[in-house]
Amino acid sequence: MKLKIREALEGYTFSTPAFLLLFLVLFFPFVYVIYISFFAKTFGYEPVFSGLKNYMEIIRDPVFKYSLYISTLYTAVAVTFKLILGLAFAILFAQEFKGRSIVRTVAVIPWGMPLFVVAAIFFWFFDYNLGLANIILKSILGLKLFWLGPELVVFSIIYVNVWKGIPFFMVNFLGALQTIPRSLYEAAEIDGASAWQRFRHITIPGIKYVMLIVCLLSTIWTFGEFDTIFFLTRGGPGYLTHILPIYIYHQAFSNFNIGTAAAASVVTVPIFLSLISVILWALRR
Amino acid sequence: MKEKSMGMSGEPKKVDRRSFLYVGLGAVALVAIGAAAYIAMNPPVVTQTVTTATTVPTTSVVTTTTATTVTTATTTTTATTVTTTTGVQKPKLTVLYMSTYAPAINDWLTARTLIWAAKRGVDVEISTASYMEIKPKILTGVETGNPPDLVFGGGDLVALLAEDPKSRHIEPIDDVYKELDETDMEQKLVKWYTIDGKKYAIDLALHANQVHLIKSFVKEVGRTPEELVTWDDYIEFAKEVKRRHPDMYPLGFTLGKCYDGTETWYLSWWPYGGEMCTARSSAAVKFDSPESRETLQRIVGWYNDGLINPQMLQADEMLNNNAYLTKSAAFIIEGPTPYYAAVTRNPELAGDTLLTVPPKGPKGRFTWGSQWPVYTFSAAKNKELAKDLMIFLMKDKAEYKKMILSGLMAVGPIYKSVTEELVKDKNVGHLYKVYQDALPIVTFYSYPLSEPCSAMDKVQANYLVADLFSMTLIDKKDVDTAVRTVGDQIKQIFKQTYGQ
């Protein structure tokens, strides 16, 4: 009995610092955001309790509704393209060819670049007058496009995200592909399976768990992305690329409504929680 | 027996006494290291009062608070006696400077700050932040009760942080003004920082917008710059340029939800009778007016006529600068930092540029004045030192003039006498004459109130008037709806700020 108490005491002693750290770093800010979302609060002023007013405000705000819509669209399209292209590149780079290791290394570079650098590169790439995109277009087709203008801006930010994100998918898929026994493909080939059948019945089942986890992680990251879009468009033109993190930033630092910004953050929590639950569920399986 | 945990071998894993002891000792060692580091960074101050008769031409009250003593020295003569507290630890001034589009001005500011620090025997930590970054940094500092000692920038936060008597975060600096030659200052600028009879900030310099007119385009359409006086003249000129260069967008006007987008609005609105508010009250908001509708209709017309590049709808302050620097616009209206860029990087373009006051409308001529304020906070640890630094930066007019000149017209002085001197200069006098001419028409965003107004700080910080462009040009709403919507939002902000 004494031993059990001592063991328990030891356990608590060792785990307490970790719990304290977790509480301070993760749990406390989270609880504080929930707390402040029920207050009218601006910088330098004492918070005043306002109940659900902040939540009502953001629910009524058409910009918030649009932000939810554009964040979902941006995430869905970007992740889909990253999945398809990442898989295509992984299959391509899994083949034997001369200079494969160099090509693989080069292909990973976008993933290693800091977001700010990526944003700076594409800021100039998309510039109407000086950008490389228009220089190439003009020399081939004789036209220039407003890449960050109202018609194309959503496409452009998705393009940047896909460009940066493909290597993450590709590297993970490459790793997963190497775990599929070669003999399965050989046996299928002997049985007369077509390339599509081999892909559908051997490759996809062989990498499906990696695929699921990679997609979900990428969905979480893409949904919460701020830096690149803020640097490229600041949420504009107008509100066209006002994704949720930019909406929250503007509530805090342009409208000076910390309470509303907190409420908008809290509203996004269930979305992230459900995504995390799916990942955990997939991992358990 | 239920196993608590299993080791690699499958045996129940216990923490033995020795491990327990090691971990405990490790924790104690960590605490000791932490305490040692803290003490090393914040050593007990050995206060040694040194009285030195310096020749620094300044009078000031320097109060240095240490853990044990408060040493105050008040001086009243120009040959000052400054009592400084020295010892193991020097006071450390934290300053936050906005990085301007004229790097030479930032270089001057940094150099003078370091000279001041060396003279006063204090440490100084200089941080810089872009126009976009500085506001969140200031606001976070205020919110956490740990603001920088001195700030340069964040002009549209001064009223917001100083107007409400219940929540006044900016320290009044009337004592700084007393040390400086206030009568020589542009009174319009002094008024802009005066709230309830106290002054809360001082402009380092004034960034007054001017037309950057590319003379070769004027010549090409067979005109002379002197012929361009009114808004109608300029628009007609732009249309002629467009006829000759169909691929070009002659008006380099930003329409995005950003600072320059708001400038486009105000500069095209004031000359046609546009007014924001006459008092600090929602009833005094004048935005929703026929003048606003006419102005918006005019700008929509320019856009639809292909005079403004659709790229200008992006929220980016550099777009109009780049349009001028790449000669893809015939003219822009901006504080002369693009001209500074041309002088330093493209002298040919600078030579082909005429700087002049903005066009005239039926209600007269107006130009935009950007605030470049310096201020300190009530909660700042070294606010008296910060004030001393302000005096050091602003008092020596010869040095101050060097800063203005280093900016190559990017900014103008706040001292009338320095402007006079610059106007008389053989080499650059003609340029500063334009600045002198612009001074009387410099207007602020709370016009015609033209006083600090925290509700207008909120309207400006949110670039609300630039929403007019996205509503009409992107969302395709009609002009009436756009003006009414933005007008309602402005009234709402005034109501929230000043009550019903």
Side-chain angles (χ1 to χ4, degrees), chain B residues 318-335:
Chain B
M318 289 306 288
L319 285 173
N320 56 347
N321 298 24
N322 290 339
Y324 158 72
L325 290 168
T326 56
K327 286 180 97 167
S328 51
F331 73 95
I332 63 166
I333 308 177
E334 178 60 288

Side-chain angles (χ1 to χ4, degrees), chain A residues 41 44 123 146 234 239 255, chain B residues 143 167 169 309 317 462 467:
Chain A
K41 168 89 180 92
F123 184 77
F146 298 103
R234 276 197 238 161
Y239 293 93
N255 292 347
Chain B
E143 184 61 25
S167 196
H169 296 280
N309 190 328
E317 277 85 6
N462 198 13
D467 280 355

Side-chain angles (χ1 to χ4, degrees), chain A residues 7 10 14 41 43-45 123 127-130 146 148 150 230 234 237-240 249 253-256, chain B residues 14 20 23 132 136 139 143 164 167 169 249 257 309-311 313-317 328 461-462 467 470 474:
Chain A
E7 275 183 355
E10 280 174 8
F14 286 126
K41 168 89 180 92
F43 288 98
Y45 284 78
F123 184 77
D127 187 84
Y128 180 77
N129 293 312
L130 309 167
F146 298 103
L148 297 176
F230 189 76
R234 276 197 238 161
Y239 293 93
L240 286 176
Y249 176 89
F253 294 112
S254 300
N255 292 347
F256 309 122
Chain B
K14 282 185 193 168
F20 192 75
V23 171
M132 279 301 291
L139 291 169
E143 184 61 25
D164 187 346
S167 196
H169 296 280
Y249 299 92
K257 192 171 172 64
N309 190 328
Q311 190 182 24
L313 283 164
Q314 282 172 234
D316 179 3
E317 277 85 6
S328 51
N462 198 13
D467 280 355
S470 59
I474 298 172

Side-chain angles (χ1 to χ4, degrees), chain B residues 342-471:
Chain B
V343 172
T344 50
R345 287 184 256 153
N346 187 352
E348 202 183 317
L349 174 64
D352 193 21
T353 303
L354 178 78
L355 286 182
T356 184
V357 285
K360 208 174 174 180
K363 298 287 176 184
R365 228 192 260 274
F366 295 80
T367 196
W368 175 269
S370 288
Q371 295 81 32
W372 278 28
V374 182
Y375 48 95
T376 183
F377 296 92
S378 317
K381 292 181 191 90
N382 298 299
K383 56 193 174 208
E384 296 305 328
L385 279 173
K387 288 180 186 178
D388 188 51
L389 175 56
M390 283 182 210
I391 295 166
F392 183 78
L393 293 173
M394 307 286 292
K395 186 149 186 164
D396 184 341
K397 287 185 188 171
E399 273 299 328
Y400 179 81
K401 189 177 151 190
K402 281 184 199 166
M403 180 268 287
I404 298 292
L405 275 169
S406 76
L408 298 167
M409 264 305 287
V411 285
I414 66 160
Y415 291 116
K416 292 177 221 166
S417 60
V418 177
T419 307
E420 281 294 337
E421 272 180 46
L422 288 166
V423 169
K424 284 175 194 157
D425 189 290
K426 278 181 196 165
N427 298 317
V428 291
H430 61 292
L431 293 171
Y432 285 96
K433 180 75 176 73
V434 184
Y435 172 75
Q436 196 177 40
D437 292 344
L439 275 170
I441 58 167
V442 164
T443 311
F444 300 117
Y445 46 73
S446 67
Y447 174 82
L449 175 67
S450 300
E451 284 175 11
C453 171
S454 62
M456 273 313 297
D457 275 8
K458 291 176 192 168
V459 171
Q460 183 58 19
N462 198 13
Y463 312 127
L464 208 51
V465 293
D467 280 355
L468 292 164
F469 307 135
S470 59
M471 280 184 195

